[in-house]
Amino acid sequence: ARDGAVNRISAPGSPRLAGLVSRVYEDDVIESETERLAGLVASKSHTVIQLGISNFNSQIRKSLVDAAEQSSEAMVQNLGTADGREGLSAFLEKRHPTWSHDK
């Protein structure tokens, strides 16, 4: 793992990053694991992923209270999308969702 683009951090040293690193992979599997993770994200609703990223980016510098309020509003906004409703229905019906990727 790299700390910025300057300092190399060993796997044993990664716990000091306080949760910023969830997994550390060896060089020989990093590409395949990156592709696997990208495929997992790509299989989800594009609309919901876009809303999540937008929400995260706009609340990152807010106070905890303001960020929590914004997240609550984002969840309501998410349920206003076809994919948000589909995801909730699929969860309640214990089935895989069929994403439309429409807002």
Side-chain angles (χ1 to χ4, degrees), residues 31-51:
E31 188 172 332
S32 64
E33 287 298 319
T34 300
E35 289 175 3
R36 183 189 64 76
L37 182 58
L40 179 64
V41 172
S43 73
K44 306 303 180 194
S45 164
H46 303 165
T47 303
V48 172
I49 295 291
Q50 184 179 25
L51 284 171

Side-chain angles (χ1 to χ4, degrees), residues 60-74:
I60 198 163
R61 289 187 171 81
K62 293 186 176 187
S63 71
L64 182 60
V65 171
D66 290 343
E69 183 177 326
Q70 181 179 330
S71 290
S72 294
E73 293 168 4

